[in-house]
Amino acid sequence: MNASAGPKAPGGADDATTSDSASMPRSGRKVTTSNRQSPRKSGDERWKELLDVSARMFADRGYAATSLQHIADELGMLKGSLYYYIKTKDDLLYEVIRGVYWEGVANFRRITTGPGDAVDRLEHAIQGHVRYLIDNITATTVFLHEFDQLSPGRREELSALGYTEQLRDLIRAGQAEGSIRPEIDASMAALAVLGATNWIYRWYRDPGSRGPDEIGRQFSDIFVSGLVSPSRKA
Amino acid sequence: MNASAGPKAPGGADDATTSDSASMPRSGRKVTTSNRQSPRKSGDERWKELLDVSARMFADRGYAATSLQHIADELGMLKGSLYYYIKTKDDLLYEVIRGVYWEGVANFRRITTGPGDAVDRLEHAIQGHVRYLIDNITATTVFLHEFDQLSPGRREELSALGYTEQLRDLIRAGQAEGSIRPEIDASMAALAVLGATNWIYRWYRDPGSRGPDEIGRQFSDIFVSGLVSPSRKA
Amino acid sequence: MNASAGPKAPGGADDATTSDSASMPRSGRKVTTSNRQSPRKSGDERWKELLDVSARMFADRGYAATSLQHIADELGMLKGSLYYYIKTKDDLLYEVIRGVYWEGVANFRRITTGPGDAVDRLEHAIQGHVRYLIDNITATTVFLHEFDQLSPGRREELSALGYTEQLRDLIRAGQAEGSIRPEIDASMAALAVLGATNWIYRWYRDPGSRGPDEIGRQFSDIFVSGLVSPSRKA
Amino acid sequence: MNASAGPKAPGGADDATTSDSASMPRSGRKVTTSNRQSPRKSGDERWKELLDVSARMFADRGYAATSLQHIADELGMLKGSLYYYIKTKDDLLYEVIRGVYWEGVANFRRITTGPGDAVDRLEHAIQGHVRYLIDNITATTVFLHEFDQLSPGRREELSALGYTEQLRDLIRAGQAEGSIRPEIDASMAALAVLGATNWIYRWYRDPGSRGPDEIGRQFSDIFVSGLVSPSRKA
DNA sequence: GATGAATGAGTCTTCATTCAT
DNA sequence: TATGAATGAAGACTCATTCAT
């Protein structure tokens, strides 16, 4: 549930940070782009603050265990006032997740469909994914851990064509071009890669030791070495 | 939260059911009549039933989103009656997690400290972990997903000496004996392996296609190939 | 809304009483018929009390304007405790209405299908309806005034085959047998009779002056005189 | 509460719509776009629109169940903006009721104090009342159903000198002049007449069958026949 | 072993209302 | 004439928990 109190077991370290910021104007709401430096916050800023606080609390305690009261307290407003910005609590979860999801998938696709042979792209995809994930660790944590708490309709909306399929296709492409071992099950390999990288949200802590780049390099090394065909290695 | 409705993105498969214990459609609180005229359950049987039902519901909806009412309904008793068996709701979560955790860790240790060189043991550890995880997918899901919802005291109790450390030490041993590449960061590698395997609870579905053994073989192949030193490979 | 504060205009007097009592075990609930004279109220008694209080408050302030807090206060319990007895607030409205409705319709049918010619039965039906209505003025008020606030499903359930149709058919029977004037539109006449009698809940007050019998006699006199055919009058 | 969903029982017809002002399906808060590019409504027009919409919604859902949000949505403005026109929600109810009430009473008085003997005036009063009520069915519904929801002060203000008294006095006059049966209790008779006519708002539907005139004729026939003295009838 | 009845705090959500702009 | 942003109180409903029987 929590980036800062993950289980030590099956992969844990301790005590985290959050650095990403959620953006995006909410669905049906015109936003006045009025003066920016007034002490009184504009609605737009408030909305971003709200998403930020929500993401942080959802990541820390879990969606179900976070009450609107908690969020309102943190924002210094009354819980009823939140309903000026949202229609249901689910809206908050949705906006937080939609944000990282869309950007993340787009980012991922840019790499997997970019230049280079399959192995190169795999390497970059792993490193890029790791970096994105860590740069947006809070929202990512919410996405990865609380996805199933979304209302069914929204869960479905976001389910289309995601990371796994892209990665699987990339690996298959590598097999076709001979750069990746043919005996590998592309689906399994894709799931292994994504499992290893996604799991980061369970143990990542502020760069006590390894930062995003170091992690990305290590992970891509392992997987590339694990998947590459002997011929291409040479 | 849910073994059967994981996000498609960062590593999902699709729609099916968990396989370890008879799973239930979660629509509309129906009371299981299955255990109505049984000769009269002993207290011990009732307790196991309670843990079973709890595990299933925690895996399906998440701990925070599962009420004692839900559980009692499923058992065909009143929620107040649950307090004959437990002192607080947290007891249920604790018992479910403690079960898989202890057995799982013991299992893991048996392999990592068993016979063979480090690479052999790594291979067996991955395959064994995958199999255990899938054989106990419901409880494992609860363990992996709801660990942070445990009361602080119990979280701590279970946190000691886990999988990561054992695996890291195994890899280091391999580096010491020369069977594993020295440029690998053992901690990172351990986290990659556990991430890939643990993540299984997010996408595993009834053996439509790949069963535990196939998955174990593929995963261990990838990681062994990725970590082994050229010398030992030859 | 209210038997005790009806508008003076289109027909009002002032300040009322309540004398009916709601009964009926609620839908899905077994009721222990345990000891009756314990100082501690049994659940059955509590349920009746709850319906009674609800009826009174719905009649006084209106359904929508009555909060569960009001009801709980009157009963000396916490509002959350009411949910031991009901599933939603609508249950209370439904039970109150269902009670008077079923009994009332049955009562009415007994008379309209009883012995005597149509005019006799009309006379008795009016008097019986007036009496029943006044004897159950509180629940009747709720029924007549708050019916539309019922959830759609339940509104429908109770809508079948009601008073109007029975009365219309009785009048038609009278026309067929020649005791009621043929130029009368039976539907209109039925609606006139029911309007006049139902409206009583808007102005009836404790027998300051006219009691149920007197009112029944006056009303039946007017309508019988208004509908009877000259031949039968003679 | 509702002219279009009255209980079938104690006097109902069935399913249709009210007819005085264009009624609206109540599903899902849609904002009427009908008044979007009009040349710019004057404040007076807006005020009338507001009263119209309020009346319609109060008639449809009941006063207490209608929120200012609903009304604002329908008008295409924000709920806070309503406070330019009103001071409290009660103002809306008051204005709607005051309108029909004053005009209706004046209308009624014009007839009961007009030319003709008591029986003639009674006949015209019934027909006139029925017509007025149906011509203004929405506001009348609000008046008849929601009167008690008015704030105490305003309830009192409107309570003085109403229909019942005028009608009772007319009947007494008829008894005095010998055209109405002496054994009739004038108060009861007045209440019967007003009950029958007022109740119309509970069952009236768009002139599927009977229109205002037909209803008026039938009702006045019944009551005149029921009250007239044998001597005057001859 | 379990029920029946309740508690008290908390859940999400809606309300009428305010007021600076 | 309105909007945008909030308030504060109350709404219905749910929760984990208790305890006498």
Side-chain angles (χ1 to χ4, degrees):
Chain A
M1 180 90 10
N2 184 323
S4 44
K8 189 59 155 297
D14 241 297
D15 168 74
T17 15
T18 70
S19 60
D20 66 324
S21 60
S23 54
M24 308 233 41
R26 82 227 81 147
S27 22
R29 232 153 213 310
K30 338 120 209 175
V31 168
T32 22
T33 339
S34 48
N35 71 320
R36 244 87 230 281
Q37 60 270 48
S38 85
R40 186 120 202 194
K41 303 221 173 106
S42 82
D44 209 28
E45 277 165 16
R46 240 16 197 153
W47 169 239
K48 276 182 189 154
E49 226 184 313
L50 172 52
L51 286 189
D52 237 59
V53 166
S54 299
R56 217 157 50 226
M57 305 206 107
F58 293 162
D60 278 356
R61 304 163 204 246
Y63 173 73
T66 302
S67 78
L68 292 177
Q69 185 67 260
H70 288 130
I71 293 175
D73 284 353
E74 187 92 357
L75 284 166
M77 45 172 23
L78 298 175
K79 68 183 159 176
S81 306
L82 296 177
Y83 285 82
Y84 177 73
Y85 298 94
I86 58 174
K87 263 196 54 169
T88 84
K89 189 189 174 191
D90 182 68
D91 289 356
L92 290 175
L93 183 55
Y94 174 68
E95 292 294 343
V96 168
I97 288 181
R98 202 191 45 162
V100 262
Y101 178 71
W102 280 3
E103 204 189 326
V105 164
N107 192 49
F108 201 67
R109 187 190 317 273
R110 216 175 305 118
I111 304 179
T112 57
T113 62
D117 79 340
V119 169
D120 281 340
R121 281 181 281 153
L122 174 64
E123 190 177 357
H124 294 142
I126 292 174
Q127 294 181 2
H129 187 46
V130 167
R131 169 154 278 294
Y132 180 79
L133 194 153
I134 290 178
D135 281 352
N136 300 79
I137 191 85
T138 303
T140 290
T141 296
V142 176
F143 169 36
L144 292 173
H145 206 86
E146 306 294 342
F147 190 91
D148 307 329
Q149 300 281 351
L150 277 175
S151 65
R154 286 168 159 179
R155 206 158 42 202
E156 217 136 309
E157 183 200 329
L158 294 186
S159 278
L161 192 54
Y163 292 85
T164 323
E165 291 75 10
Q166 286 184 51
L167 196 50
R168 184 200 54 204
D169 292 347
L170 174 59
I171 292 169
R172 283 191 183 146
Q175 293 178 311
E177 75 187 27
S179 60
I180 287 180
R181 291 197 280 142
E183 67 272 30
I184 290 292
D185 179 321
S187 287
M188 290 294 108
L191 290 165
V193 169
L194 287 170
T197 48
N198 288 342
W199 196 253
I200 290 173
Y201 89 87
R202 299 290 268 162
W203 54 263
Y204 182 76
R205 300 294 102 90
D206 215 33
S209 38
R210 260 71 55 160
D213 293 335
E214 176 68 12
I215 298 172
R217 242 177 289 123
Q218 285 280 338
F219 275 38
S220 63
D221 177 10
I222 294 172
F223 283 111
V224 164
S225 302
L227 298 172
V228 76
S229 65
S231 64
R232 134 100 210 204
K233 189 181 279 174
Chain B
M1 179 95 4
N2 186 319
S4 42
K8 187 61 154 301
D14 240 295
D15 151 87
T17 21
T18 59
S19 63
D20 76 323
S21 45
S23 68
M24 285 254 329
R26 47 226 103 111
S27 47
R29 318 205 166 176
K30 52 172 97 153
V31 174
T32 16
T33 18
S34 52
N35 44 276
R36 266 299 145 61
Q37 61 271 57
S38 76
R40 197 123 173 97
K41 296 262 163 69
S42 80
D44 219 47
E45 274 166 20
R46 245 2 206 162
W47 168 237
K48 274 181 189 151
E49 226 184 314
L50 171 52
L51 287 188
D52 237 57
V53 165
S54 300
R56 220 156 52 223
M57 306 206 105
F58 293 163
D60 278 357
R61 316 173 194 241
Y63 174 73
T66 301
S67 77
L68 292 177
Q69 184 65 256
H70 288 129
I71 294 173
D73 283 355
E74 188 88 4
L75 284 166
M77 39 170 39
L78 298 182
K79 68 180 161 181
S81 308
L82 296 178
Y83 285 81
Y84 176 78
Y85 299 94
I86 60 175
K87 260 198 55 174
T88 84
K89 188 191 174 190
D90 183 69
D91 289 356
L92 290 174
L93 183 56
Y94 175 69
E95 291 296 340
V96 168
I97 288 181
R98 202 191 46 164
V100 263
Y101 179 72
W102 280 3
E103 203 189 328
V105 163
N107 192 49
F108 201 66
R109 186 189 318 275
R110 216 176 304 119
I111 303 177
T112 58
T113 62
D117 80 340
V119 169
D120 281 341
R121 280 180 285 153
L122 175 64
E123 190 177 357
H124 294 143
I126 291 174
Q127 294 182 3
H129 187 47
V130 167
R131 166 152 281 297
Y132 181 80
L133 194 154
I134 290 179
D135 282 352
N136 301 80
I137 190 91
T138 301
T140 289
T141 296
V142 176
F143 168 38
L144 292 174
H145 206 87
E146 306 293 342
F147 190 91
D148 309 329
Q149 301 281 353
L150 276 176
S151 64
R154 285 168 160 176
R155 206 158 43 203
E156 217 135 312
E157 181 199 331
L158 294 187
S159 278
L161 191 52
Y163 292 83
T164 323
E165 292 73 10
Q166 286 184 52
L167 195 51
R168 184 199 55 205
D169 294 347
L170 173 60
I171 292 169
R172 282 191 183 144
Q175 292 176 312
E177 75 188 27
S179 61
I180 285 180
R181 292 196 280 142
E183 68 271 29
I184 290 293
D185 179 322
S187 286
M188 289 295 108
L191 290 165
V193 168
L194 287 170
T197 47
N198 288 342
W199 195 252
I200 290 173
Y201 89 86
R202 299 290 268 163
W203 55 263
Y204 184 76
R205 300 293 101 86
D206 219 33
S209 36
R210 260 70 55 162
D213 294 334
E214 176 69 11
I215 297 172
R217 244 178 286 123
Q218 285 279 339
F219 276 38
S220 64
D221 176 11
I222 293 171
F223 284 111
V224 164
S225 301
L227 299 172
V228 75
S229 66
S231 63
R232 135 100 210 206
K233 188 181 282 176
Chain C
M1 184 94 3
N2 183 321
S4 43
K8 189 59 156 299
D14 243 298
D15 166 79
T17 16
T18 70
S19 60
D20 66 323
S21 61
S23 53
M24 308 231 42
R26 83 227 80 146
S27 23
R29 229 151 214 312
K30 341 113 208 181
V31 168
T32 22
T33 339
S34 49
N35 70 320
R36 245 88 230 286
Q37 60 271 51
S38 83
R40 186 116 200 197
K41 304 222 172 106
S42 80
D44 210 29
E45 277 165 16
R46 237 19 196 153
W47 168 239
K48 275 182 188 153
E49 227 183 313
L50 171 52
L51 286 188
D52 239 58
V53 165
S54 300
R56 218 157 47 226
M57 306 205 105
F58 292 163
D60 279 357
R61 305 165 204 245
Y63 173 73
T66 302
S67 77
L68 293 176
Q69 185 66 259
H70 288 130
I71 293 174
D73 283 353
E74 186 90 1
L75 285 166
M77 46 173 22
L78 298 175
K79 67 181 162 179
S81 306
L82 297 177
Y83 286 82
Y84 177 74
Y85 297 93
I86 59 174
K87 261 196 53 169
T88 84
K89 189 189 173 191
D90 183 68
D91 289 356
L92 289 174
L93 183 56
Y94 174 69
E95 291 295 342
V96 168
I97 288 181
R98 200 189 49 158
V100 263
Y101 178 72
W102 280 3
E103 204 188 327
V105 164
N107 193 48
F108 200 67
R109 186 189 319 273
R110 215 175 305 118
I111 302 178
T112 58
T113 61
D117 79 342
V119 170
D120 280 340
R121 280 180 283 155
L122 175 63
E123 189 176 357
H124 293 143
I126 292 173
Q127 294 182 3
H129 187 47
V130 167
R131 168 152 279 295
Y132 180 79
L133 194 154
I134 291 178
D135 281 353
N136 300 78
I137 190 83
T138 302
T140 289
T141 296
V142 176
F143 169 37
L144 292 173
H145 207 85
E146 307 293 342
F147 190 92
D148 307 330
Q149 301 279 355
L150 276 176
S151 64
R154 284 167 160 180
R155 206 159 41 202
E156 217 136 308
E157 183 199 330
L158 295 186
S159 277
L161 192 53
Y163 292 85
T164 324
E165 292 74 10
Q166 286 184 52
L167 195 50
R168 184 200 55 203
D169 292 348
L170 174 59
I171 291 169
R172 282 191 183 145
Q175 293 177 311
E177 77 187 24
S179 61
I180 286 181
R181 291 196 281 143
E183 68 272 29
I184 291 292
D185 179 323
S187 286
M188 290 293 108
L191 290 165
V193 168
L194 287 171
T197 48
N198 288 343
W199 197 252
I200 290 172
Y201 89 86
R202 300 289 268 161
W203 55 263
Y204 183 78
R205 301 293 99 89
D206 216 33
S209 35
R210 260 71 55 161
D213 293 334
E214 177 67 12
I215 297 171
R217 245 178 285 123
Q218 285 280 338
F219 275 38
S220 64
D221 177 10
I222 293 171
F223 284 110
V224 165
S225 301
L227 298 173
V228 76
S229 65
S231 63
R232 136 99 210 208
K233 188 181 280 174
Chain D
M1 170 98 6
N2 186 321
S4 43
K8 187 61 155 302
D14 238 294
D15 151 84
T17 23
T18 58
S19 62
D20 74 325
S21 44
S23 65
M24 285 253 331
R26 280 137 267 170
S27 45
R29 312 202 173 180
K30 53 172 96 155
V31 175
T32 17
T33 16
S34 51
N35 43 274
R36 268 296 142 66
Q37 61 270 57
S38 76
R40 197 119 175 99
K41 296 261 164 69
S42 80
D44 220 48
E45 274 166 20
R46 237 24 196 148
W47 169 237
K48 273 181 190 154
E49 226 184 313
L50 171 53
L51 286 188
D52 236 59
V53 165
S54 300
R56 219 154 54 220
M57 306 206 104
F58 292 164
D60 277 357
R61 318 173 192 239
Y63 173 73
T66 301
S67 76
L68 292 178
Q69 185 65 257
H70 288 129
I71 293 174
D73 283 354
E74 188 88 4
L75 284 166
M77 40 170 37
L78 298 181
K79 69 181 161 180
S81 308
L82 297 177
Y83 285 81
Y84 175 77
Y85 299 95
I86 60 174
K87 260 198 53 176
T88 84
K89 188 190 175 190
D90 182 68
D91 290 356
L92 288 174
L93 183 56
Y94 175 68
E95 291 296 341
V96 169
I97 289 182
R98 202 192 44 164
V100 265
Y101 179 72
W102 279 3
E103 203 189 328
V105 163
N107 192 49
F108 201 67
R109 187 190 319 276
R110 215 175 306 118
I111 303 178
T112 58
T113 62
D117 79 340
V119 170
D120 280 341
R121 280 179 285 152
L122 174 63
E123 190 176 355
H124 294 142
I126 291 174
Q127 294 182 3
H129 187 47
V130 167
R131 168 153 279 296
Y132 181 80
L133 194 153
I134 290 177
D135 282 351
N136 301 80
I137 190 97
T138 302
T140 289
T141 296
V142 176
F143 168 38
L144 291 173
H145 207 86
E146 306 293 342
F147 190 92
D148 309 330
Q149 300 280 353
L150 276 176
S151 64
R154 286 168 158 176
R155 205 160 42 205
E156 217 135 311
E157 182 199 331
L158 295 186
S159 278
L161 192 54
Y163 292 83
T164 324
E165 293 74 10
Q166 285 183 52
L167 194 51
R168 182 199 57 205
D169 293 347
L170 174 60
I171 293 169
R172 280 189 184 146
Q175 292 176 312
E177 75 186 27
S179 61
I180 286 180
R181 291 195 280 144
E183 68 273 27
I184 290 294
D185 179 322
S187 286
M188 290 294 107
L191 290 165
V193 168
L194 287 170
T197 47
N198 288 341
W199 195 252
I200 289 172
Y201 89 86
R202 298 292 267 163
W203 54 264
Y204 184 76
R205 302 290 105 87
D206 219 33
S209 37
R210 259 71 55 160
D213 294 332
E214 176 68 13
I215 298 172
R217 242 177 289 124
Q218 286 279 338
F219 275 38
S220 64
D221 177 10
I222 294 172
F223 283 111
V224 164
S225 301
L227 298 173
V228 75
S229 65
S231 64
R232 135 97 211 207
K233 187 182 282 177

